[in-house]
Amino acid sequence: MSENIQKSYQELVELKFQLYNSLFLTLPLDAIEQTGLLLPLLQEACSSGLEKEKSPEQIITDFFQEHKSHFTEEEQITFLFKVIQYVERQIVLIDALEEAAYNKIHRISDSDSWSRISNKVKRRRMEEQAEQVMKSFGVRVVLTAHPTQFYPGAVLAIASDLKTSIENGDVALSRDLLQQLGKTAFYKKQKPTAYSEALSLMWYLSNVFYPAVGELMDKIEQDFPQEEGQENQLVKLGFWPGGDRDGNPFVKVDTTLKVAEKLRFNIIACYSQDIKELKRRLSFKVISDILEQLDTDFINELTGKSNSSKLNINYLIERINEIERLLIKDHQSLFLGKLQNFKRKVKSFGFYFASIDIRQDSRMIGKAFLALVEQNPELLPSNWEQLSTELQLDFLLSPKESIQWKPLEDDVLQDTLESFGVIQKIQEKNGEAGAHRYIISNCRGSLDIAKVKALAHWCAWGNQKLSVDIAPLFETVDDLSGAGESMQEIYQNKNYQIHLEQRKMQQTVMLGFSDGTKDGGYLTANWSILKAKEQMTAVSRKNQVEVLFFDGRGGPPARGGGNAHMFYSAMGKQVESQQIQMTVQGQTISSHYGIKEAAVHNLSHLLTAGIENNLFNKASAELNQEQRSLMEKLSESSFEKYEALKQDPLFIPFLEERSTLKYYGMANIGSRPSKRGKSEGLVFEDLRAIPFVGAWSQLKQNVPGFYGLGTALEQENDRDQLTACKQLYQESIFFKALISNSMQSMSKTNFALTAYMKDDPKFGSFWTMIYNEYLLTKKLVLEISGQHELLEDNARSRKSIQLREKVVLPLLSIQQYALIQIQKIKEGNNSPFVKEYEKMVMRSLFGNINASRNSV
């Protein structure tokens, strides 16, 4: 199978890339002479130069000396910017080629996960059990606006058309589209607003998720018909842009309301299009009148011509049911399938399309709480500080009346208080599912949960039933280790038990892979999250609560990305798995959900992983005591090694002086600042995971994806326990997924790019320490997996990474060249082009990240 995939990739992507790229490089796009024709020469110069241990500076200097010796420094800079522009567009071409060949290189016909699980259920005659599972199981994919990919809307549209032209073999059109791509701007002159980020992601909702979920639900219905009136949704969508306030002072209540309104508008636009299609087929008496009225209702709301109060989910389902009865009774069920497809989409998306989550950092919530109490001292008992945690919880969770408060001077604190009322407004217009979760970032324990509940009542709900799920987000290693105890503490409170009874005895808990990895390193973060899930599952089951785990998974494996299906398949019976909920962002959205075929395929994988966990016992998903002991030792050793790196006095200076870290904040890539705090200096705790992981990725060192793993394995080897590690790899899906995802990170390293740093008087030993850990990790990971090269068992990812890394090499070399020039200027080398070199770093940063969509 692996050989077939490799052959398919070579024929459908690599060879076609050579063809289309040869067309692209000859297009008259640049003002600098023959940039496109010189790009292959530069690519070869970078590859051979790094093999000869030349620095990027020497490679670029030698290239100009050989090919353009007459260029001034200004002309060299202009030429390098043109190279960046070409490479950016080469990456789009690879994206389009992979999407055009998606079904074949992913071998969809051979790996249809839904058909596989359906057949397995039928062979074992477990249809009834499967139907019971699907009454409560569901997948929730939550789109976030985190800046991990930067294609403007115009570029996405061209890429979509390019994919279609490649599928159709229309070379002439493809050439024109490549030329259009070359003339279309990739770079944003201004930072996007939170609202514009939301609009960008809504394109995926309307054009990909809407048809994909409909198609998937049709497949499921064929095998396991859903009972009429069944409330459970197998697939749900969530949405963070416009609701995520954590560290983003630009998200305000008006932003949230605008996003909610636009989500409603977009889903109605989708429904309106489907109604028009139904009108073409269901042209029968009475039915056509009902459809005409629905069409009018939709158009009136879209154009703002009528009050939409009657246009709600109950009204729409009643009309659909009426048409369904008439079709069956009077028209021999003609085109019934089309109507039922529409009905399933309506049940999946309601009038909200995707649920907006409100998220805020616990420290900001705490400040807003204190500000409100300072203004209204009577809210708390006079001896508040002397009360035990138990008594404070009891007071905060007891019934509350709504209050009036004067506007706060701090805009963020004022917005934090007002955000509770926004949830109510969205629910009134879009239904409760439109916004029903408040996520507490950096949650420290039960008091943070209680403060949110108290604020919700004081600021919005008063003594009414709270129609919001309060979801703590545990991120650091310490918070993860205490998560079970925190939940036990809150569950024991009688008033909170009443709240849970009103929320179907379900408690959502979010777990942060990104900050967990930043805090504790790759291996320890993954192990800590699994243990936290097990602890909270045990505590929740003891209290008759169903815990719903929501995983904050980023794009690359270093932020919880990687193979999601394998990750969820690794959850044993000690982890509650009635729901699979995860964030998707940047590369994950474009690679897993960028086209309908990919969305159906990957949503099917998530569904089957969860359903299998609930139906079947898998020994490979369970860890025995001996295996747990081994994992604990590996985690301790890995954490010690990673913590030593973090505590190294050169750790922060290395990132500040030798990486692209600060350029994330300077670039126009997202509405959210690159760090939480307002301190002028770099404080590790305030640093966001995206620029932290991204900086290591730009260096091609990918430290958060492997560092400490090699040392942990070596220490087990010293104890003659490497055989046990090999056995763990063979027997545990969890450990195999952990190793596989780390391999993915290491496959995208290139230490030759920064090898010049080994002679740096300040950072030489620091660079060497990281490189040695990489070599050790690679050696031992290959040994325990029995593979001869990284990702030997995943030909598709391996080939994609190799192609992309080859194409992006000139861009990376240019970035390092620019960083070296900036450093020289800081050290006293006079140059009038420092801003140009800084811009060069930022532009190359975009292209490198866009190239990394195979991180997932």
Side-chain angles (χ1 to χ4, degrees):
M1 176 70 78
S2 183
E3 290 181 5
N4 291 336
I5 291 174
Q6 181 168 313
K7 185 178 179 182
S8 294
Y9 193 90
Q10 289 171 337
E11 293 175 352
L12 298 171
V13 180
E14 289 180 342
L15 291 176
K16 285 191 175 183
F17 175 75
Q18 293 176 22
L19 167 65
Y20 287 100
N21 189 48
S22 64
L23 288 174
F24 178 56
L25 294 179
T26 58
L27 292 174
L29 299 176
D30 52 271
I32 294 293
E33 52 188 301
Q34 297 180 322
T35 306
L37 296 178
L38 286 172
L39 180 53
L41 298 176
L42 178 59
Q43 191 174 64
E44 175 57 30
C46 293
S47 180
S48 61
L50 292 177
E51 284 182 10
K52 296 173 184 175
E53 298 188 348
K54 288 185 179 182
S55 72
E57 180 185 32
Q58 187 179 355
I59 290 169
I60 300 297
T61 301
D62 290 350
F63 174 81
F64 281 125
Q65 188 63 39
E66 181 177 354
H67 297 286
K68 295 292 176 184
S69 57
H70 62 284
F71 272 12
T72 63
E73 184 177 8
E74 185 175 9
E75 289 173 324
Q76 289 178 358
I77 289 171
T78 302
F79 176 85
L80 293 176
F81 271 113
K82 288 295 179 183
V83 169
I84 291 172
Q85 291 172 4
Y86 267 94
V87 174
E88 284 178 325
R89 287 151 178 82
Q90 285 179 312
I91 293 162
V92 175
L93 174 57
I94 296 175
D95 292 346
L97 286 164
E98 288 188 341
E99 288 178 354
Y102 189 90
N103 285 346
K104 292 181 180 178
I105 63 176
H106 285 259
R107 308 194 72 84
I108 299 297
S109 59
D110 299 330
S111 60
D112 184 339
S113 57
W114 180 257
S115 295
R116 180 181 55 78
I117 187 69
S118 174
N119 291 335
K120 186 176 180 180
V121 167
K122 290 172 182 175
R123 282 197 310 271
R124 300 190 183 190
R125 298 181 180 178
M126 298 178 66
E127 289 90 341
E128 288 187 17
Q129 295 94 317
E131 288 171 6
Q132 284 300 119
V133 166
M134 285 189 284
K135 286 181 179 179
S136 57
F137 177 73
V139 165
R140 183 173 183 141
V141 172
V142 180
L143 279 65
T144 78
H146 298 342
T148 54
Q149 194 164 47
F150 317 111
Y151 291 145
V155 174
L156 285 172
I158 297 169
S160 177
D161 293 341
L162 182 59
K163 173 238 179 191
T164 302
S165 71
I166 291 170
E167 284 178 330
N168 296 333
D170 191 339
V171 177
L173 177 58
S174 296
R175 185 183 187 279
D176 290 345
L177 290 169
L178 287 170
Q179 187 162 358
Q180 182 189 1
L181 194 67
K183 294 176 177 291
T184 301
F186 275 46
Y187 184 70
K188 297 176 181 177
K189 294 183 179 180
Q190 295 180 326
K191 282 183 178 291
T193 64
Y195 183 64
S196 66
E197 286 174 332
L199 294 181
S200 296
L201 284 186
M202 285 183 202
W203 184 91
Y204 290 98
L205 292 179
S206 299
N207 293 281
V208 179
F209 283 99
Y210 183 76
V213 170
E215 182 176 313
L216 179 57
M217 295 308 297
D218 285 350
K219 290 171 66 175
I220 293 170
E221 183 73 19
Q222 289 176 7
D223 296 313
F224 304 102
Q226 304 295 293
E227 294 179 9
E228 188 62 38
Q230 182 173 316
E231 292 185 8
N232 183 55
Q233 294 171 253
L234 279 171
V235 179
K236 306 173 190 175
L237 299 179
F239 208 70
W240 274 18
D244 183 8
R245 291 154 160 72
D246 179 13
N248 192 340
F250 306 112
V251 175
K252 303 290 187 185
V253 292
D254 61 331
T255 312
T256 309
L257 289 171
K258 279 176 65 180
V259 170
E261 289 171 3
K262 191 63 176 177
L263 284 167
R264 180 181 171 94
F265 179 93
N266 281 2
I267 191 59
I268 290 175
C270 289
Y271 291 163
S272 180
Q273 186 61 41
D274 272 5
I275 285 291
K276 286 177 170 56
E277 292 298 318
L278 286 170
K279 282 168 64 178
R280 292 172 64 88
R281 293 292 170 263
L282 306 184
S283 53
F284 317 128
K285 188 178 180 181
V286 182
I287 290 177
S288 61
D289 292 338
I290 299 172
L291 289 172
E292 189 64 43
Q293 181 59 54
L294 285 174
D295 193 20
T296 301
D297 291 338
F298 291 147
I299 291 172
N300 284 343
E301 173 146 348
L302 292 174
T303 56
K305 291 182 179 178
S306 69
N307 186 332
S308 60
S309 58
K310 76 168 185 177
L311 200 51
N312 56 52
I313 189 66
N314 292 331
Y315 169 78
L316 183 53
I317 291 294
E318 285 174 6
R319 301 287 84 72
I320 295 171
N321 286 341
E322 187 177 354
I323 296 171
E324 191 172 30
R325 286 192 297 269
L326 290 169
L327 271 180
I328 296 170
K329 176 177 174 288
D330 300 330
H331 303 287
Q332 297 77 48
S333 300
L334 193 59
F335 301 118
L336 181 62
K338 287 183 175 294
L339 179 71
Q340 290 178 334
N341 171 272
F342 178 59
K343 182 178 179 179
R344 291 179 198 115
K345 287 187 281 193
V346 168
K347 286 187 172 181
S348 295
F349 302 119
F351 279 92
Y352 60 93
F353 215 156
S355 298
I356 296 178
D357 287 339
I358 306 297
R359 183 171 77 130
Q360 183 58 283
D361 188 277
S362 64
R363 290 164 290 190
M364 198 59 66
I365 293 168
K367 289 179 181 178
F369 179 87
L370 289 176
L372 189 66
V373 170
E374 185 177 340
Q375 194 182 99
N376 302 271
E378 71 281 359
L379 292 176
L380 295 182
S382 57
N383 63 337
W384 175 254
E385 297 296 336
Q386 285 72 50
L387 295 179
S388 65
T389 299
E390 183 180 354
L391 289 175
Q392 287 185 339
L393 284 173
D394 199 49
F395 179 83
L396 291 174
L397 295 169
S398 61
K400 298 280 182 289
E401 296 287 338
S402 61
I403 65 166
Q404 297 292 323
W405 75 90
K406 298 175 184 176
L408 303 178
E409 292 184 8
D410 189 302
D411 289 343
V412 175
L413 299 185
Q414 174 70 13
D415 175 79
T416 301
L417 298 181
E418 290 180 342
S419 65
F420 294 100
V422 165
I423 297 174
Q424 278 189 321
K425 290 179 181 178
I426 294 173
Q427 289 184 353
E428 288 170 6
K429 184 74 178 289
N430 294 358
E432 185 177 311
H436 66 93
R437 300 202 302 196
Y438 197 106
I439 298 169
I440 309 167
S441 293
N442 198 37
C443 184
R444 299 301 187 188
S446 55
L447 276 174
D448 285 343
I449 300 172
K451 286 177 182 177
V452 167
K453 188 170 189 306
L455 286 172
H457 287 289
W458 281 332
C459 299
W461 271 266
N463 57 14
Q464 299 174 20
K465 181 176 73 172
L466 186 62
S467 54
V468 175
D469 300 306
I470 303 170
L473 166 51
F474 299 108
E475 301 177 89
T476 68
V477 171
D478 286 343
D479 291 339
L480 286 166
S481 66
E485 184 179 339
S486 295
M487 297 315 298
Q488 173 65 16
E489 208 166 38
I490 198 85
Y491 287 156
Q492 287 180 328
N493 186 277
K494 291 182 180 179
N495 288 309
Y496 197 74
Q497 289 171 9
I498 294 171
H499 168 67
L500 286 174
E501 287 169 4
Q502 295 168 346
R503 305 304 297 165
K504 300 180 181 178
M505 292 304 290
Q506 293 179 329
Q507 171 66 53
T508 300
V509 176
M510 190 172 179
L511 300 138
F513 282 81
S514 296
D515 283 285
T517 303
K518 178 172 76 83
D519 181 53
Y522 175 72
L523 195 155
T524 299
N526 279 273
W527 178 234
S528 297
I529 286 172
L530 179 62
K531 289 193 298 180
K533 283 188 173 185
E534 291 176 340
Q535 291 164 5
M536 284 187 281
T537 296
V539 165
S540 300
R541 287 173 177 172
K542 177 183 174 183
N543 288 275
Q544 288 80 51
V545 176
E546 180 188 339
V547 62
L548 310 179
F549 291 118
F550 176 25
D551 296 312
R553 293 168 62 83
R559 292 183 39 244
N563 190 321
H565 174 259
M566 186 182 290
F567 170 79
Y568 287 110
S569 293
M571 300 294 105
K573 296 299 182 184
Q574 294 186 62
V575 173
E576 195 70 72
S577 55
Q578 284 297 316
Q579 297 277 313
I580 286 179
Q581 302 189 11
M582 58 183 283
T583 57
V584 294
Q585 55 190 256
Q587 306 101 318
T588 321
I589 297 173
S590 60
S591 63
H592 272 44
Y593 306 100
I595 57 176
K596 187 185 74 170
E597 296 87 344
V600 172
H601 182 58
N602 288 295
L603 287 171
S604 295
H605 271 315
L606 292 177
L607 279 170
T608 55
I611 291 171
E612 281 187 309
N613 285 347
N614 284 281
L615 277 180
F616 308 115
N617 293 315
K618 292 183 295 183
S620 57
E622 308 295 341
L623 293 168
N624 60 38
Q625 195 53 51
E626 186 178 343
Q627 291 171 328
R628 286 179 175 279
S629 177
L630 177 57
M631 277 302 309
E632 199 64 45
K633 290 176 185 175
L634 288 167
S635 175
E636 289 172 1
S637 302
S638 177
F639 179 77
E640 186 178 340
K641 180 71 174 178
Y642 179 75
E643 187 67 16
L645 180 73
K646 271 173 53 182
Q647 298 303 323
D648 192 297
L650 291 176
F651 183 77
I652 295 297
F654 182 76
L655 287 172
E656 286 185 305
E657 298 176 34
R658 291 292 185 267
S659 82
T660 59
L661 183 66
K662 71 176 183 180
Y663 294 95
Y664 276 83
M666 296 166 62
N668 296 325
I669 59 179
S671 68
R672 189 172 70 169
S674 60
K675 63 177 185 174
R676 287 183 172 92
K678 296 181 180 179
S679 56
E680 292 185 12
L682 182 60
V683 178
F684 182 79
E685 289 71 21
D686 287 340
L687 186 61
R688 288 195 173 279
I690 289 173
F692 174 73
V693 172
W696 291 112
S697 174
Q698 296 285 323
L699 283 167
K700 286 293 146 186
Q701 294 178 1
N702 287 335
V703 162
F706 73 85
Y707 198 87
L709 177 58
T711 293
L713 292 171
E714 184 182 44
Q715 290 187 11
E716 293 310 303
N717 188 33
D718 293 341
R719 300 187 185 108
D720 294 324
Q721 289 296 304
L722 199 63
T723 300
C725 293
K726 293 178 182 179
Q727 189 173 355
L728 183 63
Y729 178 84
Q730 294 298 326
E731 296 177 356
S732 167
I733 304 178
F734 170 77
F735 190 60
K736 190 169 188 175
L738 190 149
I739 295 297
S740 176
N741 287 338
S742 186
M743 281 188 181
Q744 204 173 89
S745 289
M746 288 188 287
S747 293
K748 303 184 78 172
T749 58
N750 186 351
F751 279 86
L753 183 71
T754 55
Y756 70 92
M757 294 183 188
K758 68 183 178 184
D759 299 320
D760 189 278
K762 182 176 181 180
F763 295 111
S765 60
F766 186 81
W767 182 93
T768 301
M769 178 173 62
I770 293 172
Y771 181 51
N772 287 339
E773 180 66 12
Y774 162 76
L775 292 176
L776 178 65
T777 306
K778 180 179 178 182
K779 170 177 174 286
L780 291 175
V781 159
L782 289 176
E783 186 171 346
I784 67 166
S785 67
Q787 298 183 39
H788 298 93
E789 62 177 321
L790 295 173
L791 296 179
E792 183 181 333
D793 62 344
N794 191 341
R796 182 179 59 252
S797 289
R798 187 179 74 253
K799 297 296 290 183
S800 179
I801 288 171
Q802 289 171 352
L803 176 59
R804 289 168 182 271
E805 291 298 304
K806 178 182 177 181
V807 168
V808 86
L809 187 58
L811 186 149
L812 292 166
S813 301
I814 290 170
Q815 184 183 82
Q816 285 298 313
Y817 171 78
L819 286 168
I820 292 170
Q821 301 312 306
I822 293 167
Q823 192 63 33
K824 283 187 172 182
I825 292 169
K826 288 181 178 179
E827 293 170 356
N829 181 25
N830 292 325
S831 172
F833 300 110
V834 62
K835 290 190 180 300
E836 284 75 11
Y837 285 121
E838 288 181 338
K839 184 180 177 183
M840 194 179 292
V841 172
M842 288 184 278
R843 288 298 305 277
S844 56
L845 181 149
F846 297 164
N848 186 31
I849 292 180
N850 286 336
S852 300
R853 64 185 291 177
N854 50 20
S855 293
V856 292

